[in-house]
Amino acid sequence: MKIRQFNVSDISRENTIRFDSNYLNYVQQIDNNDSIKLTDIYELIEIKSVEYPSDEDFKYCQIGDVNSNGICNPVTINFEEQDVALDDYYKKISKGDIFKPNVGDILISKVRPYLKKIVYITEDIKDIYFTKAFICLRPKISPVVAYSMIFDNYINIINYSSRMGKGYPTINNVDLKQLKLSKKYYSNIIKNEKKNEATLKKSLSEISSLSKNMVKLTDIINKEFDEYYASKTNLSRGMTYGTQKNCLKGISVVNKQINNLEKFDNNIRLSFRSNNKEIGSIMEIIKSKPFFKIHDIYTEIVKGVQPEYSDDGIPVIKISNLKSEYIDDDFTEFASEEYTNKLTENKFVRPNDIIFCSIGKGSLGKVDIVEKNYNAILSTDNYILRINEKKYNPYFLTYYLRSNYGLAQFELYYTGATNQIHIYDYNVKDFIIPNISIREQNLVVSKINDEYDKNKNNNNKINEIFNNIHSLLN
C-alpha cells in the first residue's frame, strides 16, 4: 500500500482531483524550480473532423496501424468501392472519426500511451488522414527536436498523466495541460538546437528506412503457407474481424444441400459466420492437400486454472502475456505456493508447450510457444497443447495456427456472441493441419525463422540509433 500525505490547500490547486498512485508519485517528484509546462513547448491542438474524398482513394491510419517506432501502415479507403474487410474503418470515418494533421505535428495515442505509438508528420506522410483517437501536439520549437524529446524522455512523464479508461490507460488534453517537464533537460537541448536538428533528422530517416524494410511475422507465416497451398488467403485484419460479414445490412441466406452434409464432419454450423464464402473457400483449400487432425498428433490439452493469487510465488501466464509472437515473461501476477503445491505436474508449462487463448474477441486464437524453462502456470482463459514431437514439429504447428489457415478454424469453431466468445479443447482437436513429413516441417520453420531474423537485425540497428539519440539529448 502506498500512503501519501497532502495539505488541503494543495488539493484546492489540483483541478483534476487525482489520487492514482502514478500521478501522485509524479507530483511529489516535481521540482518547481526546475520545471517547464508541456504547453510552453507544444501547442495542444483541438482536433476537429474534416471532409474526406468521397469518390477517390485516400490513406487512413488508426492507432493499430502505427508501430512502436512511429511508422504508419495506413489502409486505402474508397467509399465508391468499399472493401468489406475494412467495414469498421468505413463506419468510424462516416461518423466523423477523421482528421488531417499538419507537417511537423506530433501524434500520441490517447489509449495506452506507454506503447509509444508516436507519429511525427513529415512530408512523406502528410497526405494520410488519421483517427481522432490521437492527441495532436504542435511544437513551438524545431519539430524534429520536439519529437525526439517526446520519444526519448517526455513520454514517460506523459504516461504519469494517464487515467484508467475502459480497461486501458488513457490521456487527454485537460490533464496534459497540467504537466510540468524538466527545464534543465529542455534547456540543455535548446542550447544546441540547430546542431542537434541535423543529426536527429538523419537518425529518424534511418529509422524510417529500416522500419519500412521490416515484415510482420504474420505476413512471413502467411506467405509461406500460401506457397504450400499454392493459394492466396485473406482474413482481413485477423480473428473475428473480416469473416463476421453478418454486420452488413440486410438478411443473409445460407443454402445447403443434404448430400453436402458430409463436408461438415461433426461440425454442422448454420451461422452465417461459419458458412460465408471466405471461410468456406479457405476450408476447401485446406482439405485439398493431405491432412491430419490435431487429435492425431496431440498427447494432451490442459486447461489453465483459476489460482489463488499472492504478492509472490509461481508466475501466472495470462492473456496479456501472449503476444502471438512471443511470451512476455515480465510477469506481474503470481499464485501462492500453497495453492500450486496442490496442482498436478501437467498444469505447469514446459518448453515446446503450445499455448492458445480460448476466450474473448480480439484475444481468442492468440497462439504462442514456450521457449524457456518457466516454472509457471496458466490462467483459466488459456490452454496448453502438447503434441508428439516425433510426429510433428511444435514450432511448425504454432506458425500454422497463427496463419490464416489456422485462424480460419478458430473462426469456424468458436461459439458465443459479442465479446463472450469461447473455443474448447474438443474443438481444437478437430482442427485440420498439413500432413507432411518432419523434414518438410523443419524446412518451413527454418525459412520463416531466417526471414524473421532479418527483422531482428533491423530492430537491433533501430535500438542502437535510439540509444544514440538518447546519448545526444542527455
Side-chain angles (χ1 to χ4, degrees), residues 34-36 41-42 141 145-157 181-192 196 200 469-474:
D34 175 34
S35 64
I36 182 172
I41 311 171
Y42 310 89
I141 59 173
V145 174
Y147 168 76
S148 300
M149 290 164 64
I150 287 280
F151 210 100
D152 175 65
N153 182 283
Y154 289 160
I155 188 62
N156 299 320
I157 300 172
L181 312 173
S182 168
K183 189 174 182 179
K184 181 179 180 181
Y185 174 80
Y186 170 75
S187 298
N188 288 339
I189 293 171
I190 291 301
K191 285 179 184 178
N192 301 301
N196 290 340
L200 292 170
I469 289 175
H470 178 74
S471 298
L472 178 70
L473 299 180
N474 289 273

Side-chain angles (χ1 to χ4, degrees), residues 388-402:
N388 184 338
E389 294 182 33
K390 293 181 180 179
K391 290 184 177 181
Y392 228 73
N393 183 324
Y395 281 88
F396 178 88
L397 182 55
T398 299
Y399 290 153
Y400 182 79
L401 293 176
R402 289 176 182 166

Side-chain angles (χ1 to χ4, degrees), residues 29 101 103 117 142 174 207 243 305 330 399 426 432 443 464:
Q29 292 171 13
V103 171
K117 301 282 183 100
S142 164
V174 173
I207 290 171
T243 56
V305 298
D330 186 12
Y399 290 153
Y426 54 83
I432 295 172
L443 181 61
E464 184 179 345

Side-chain angles (χ1 to χ4, degrees), residues 379-419:
S379 65
T380 188
D381 304 322
N382 301 312
Y383 279 93
I384 299 171
L385 169 60
R386 296 189 173 113
I387 63 174
N388 184 338
E389 294 182 33
K390 293 181 180 179
K391 290 184 177 181
Y392 228 73
N393 183 324
Y395 281 88
F396 178 88
L397 182 55
T398 299
Y399 290 153
Y400 182 79
L401 293 176
R402 289 176 182 166
S403 76
N404 286 336
Y405 302 95
L407 288 178
Q409 296 181 75
F410 279 108
E411 186 87 22
L412 176 65
Y413 279 95
Y414 82 72
T415 58
T418 61
N419 292 328

Side-chain angles (χ1 to χ4, degrees), residues 404-468:
N404 286 336
Y405 302 95
L407 288 178
Q409 296 181 75
F410 279 108
E411 186 87 22
L412 176 65
Y413 279 95
Y414 82 72
T415 58
T418 61
N419 292 328
Q420 301 302 313
I421 59 176
H422 300 78
I423 197 164
Y424 299 97
D425 53 351
Y426 54 83
N427 300 131
V428 174
K429 290 175 187 177
D430 280 336
F431 278 23
I432 295 172
I433 56 178
N435 180 353
I436 60 176
S437 68
I438 283 285
R439 186 188 66 81
E440 292 174 287
Q441 294 174 42
N442 292 343
L443 181 61
V444 170
V445 170
S446 294
K447 289 174 71 176
I448 291 172
N449 289 343
D450 288 346
E451 190 65 29
Y452 190 56
D453 281 343
K454 296 177 184 177
N455 280 0
K456 292 179 180 178
N457 291 335
N458 283 349
N459 254 330
N460 290 336
K461 291 177 182 177
I462 288 171
N463 289 334
E464 184 179 345
I465 294 171
F466 276 127
N467 288 336
N468 291 337

